[in-house]
Amino acid sequence: MTGRDPSIVALGGGHGLYATLTAMRRLSNNVTAVVTVADDGGSSGRLRSELGVLPPGDLRMAIAALLAATEPESRDVAGVAGAQPPEEWAALLQHRFGGRGALAGHPVGNLLLAGLTEVTGDAVKALEMITTLFGVQGRVLPMSATALDIEADVSGLEADPRISHSIRGQVAVATTPGKVRRVRLLPHQPPACPEAVDAIDGADLVVLGPGSWFSSVIPHVLVPEQLAALKRTAARKILIVNLAPEPGETAGFSVERHLHVLLAHADDFRVDHVVVDSASVPFGREREHVERAAAKFGATLHDGELAVPGTHTHDPARVAALIAGLCDSEAASYRSIVPTTTEGDGVRWR
């Protein structure tokens, strides 16, 4: 027993990262989210364009995930929340203004984050202020302090499948009718967020995925300094694969194809475990192919019933239990404490 919560770093963006953070907070109070910053659509795109700030949407969602998972009795009583339940403040951050004016469609949290960034001149400081203000346990960091763009090579837009076109912008890539072959970040070789690199270096557990594969997962291995940290960290590394292909971005992708595409962008990236939903990898030849693909990462394949029944959404309790079991099964090499009991539907730590 170490007497401390394990340090967990979760990398991703959007709804996928929200699910991962909700799961990881069942295992530790010491969770850091490292978030992609290439969104160019909706409120995030508008604020990014008009104010020159990092796109705040995915950062806001990560804050809301950690806030919603914060136990009321553990929050700073001097914070803004007072006696209000954390989930109510999380709902406020997520609330989008209605109407038809300039504020229509903007979430409260996006405006708060953009405003604090303007006041402080520092996105990381703004994120620290918000998490402190709301008594959030955990930390949210951008992947880079520079707003990024995603550019993709896409085929299938013309009759000749050999012809490839360059598509720029996260929204354009996510909605393209063609097949995404490869993505890159602009500017090339963007700077990493130093605090994110430090968090990865000091982590006990690093989790990548699930999420939009080309726009929320793969970008994390395209930032050179961050990839270097992922390679050298002593943390156990887990890759969580999506429950199903995403329309447009990964339509028709098998689990094996998800793995091959990630490897094509970082062929020297290694993880300890690849986690998939049982329904996506049936026994037989298909599973053997996935196991071989996982082995190219130096990883073993693990599966379980991870979805909320009847949906393509990860169940946080099931994901947390599976990952806790993996860490428990190799406790001799895991630099943290082992799970013991479950309270309600959440895994707790000794």
Side-chain angles (χ1 to χ4, degrees), residues 4-10 24-25 27-33 66 137-139 199 202-205:
R4 65 173 179 86
D5 276 357
S7 174
I8 301 176
V9 175
M24 293 305 97
R25 277 288 284 106
L27 306 182
S28 175
N29 289 326
N30 185 9
V31 178
T32 298
L66 292 175
Q137 290 184 331
R139 196 177 189 193
D204 296 305
L205 175 66

Side-chain angles (χ1 to χ4, degrees), residues 14 35-61 96 104-107 109-111 113-114 147-148 170-171:
V35 187
T36 52
V37 286
D39 193 1
D40 60 354
S43 169
S44 288
R46 290 160 60 190
L47 292 171
R48 170 180 177 170
S49 175
E50 294 171 13
L51 302 178
V53 297
L54 292 179
D58 287 357
L59 296 165
R60 177 204 82 242
M61 288 187 66
R96 292 181 184 271
H106 281 301
N110 282 14
L111 298 178
L113 182 53
L148 306 176
Q170 180 170 315
V171 172

Side-chain angles (χ1 to χ4, degrees), residues 43 60 64 87-99 103-111:
S43 169
R60 177 204 82 242
E87 60 270 17
E88 291 188 9
W89 291 108
L92 173 65
L93 292 177
Q94 299 280 58
H95 173 74
R96 292 181 184 271
F97 288 99
L103 290 178
H106 281 301
V108 172
N110 282 14
L111 298 178

Side-chain angles (χ1 to χ4, degrees), residues 1-6 27 327 334-339 349-350:
M1 177 171 167
T2 67
R4 65 173 179 86
D5 276 357
L27 306 182
C327 296
Y334 185 56
R335 298 185 292 112
S336 187
I337 44 185
V338 297
W349 295 79
R350 193 192 304 273

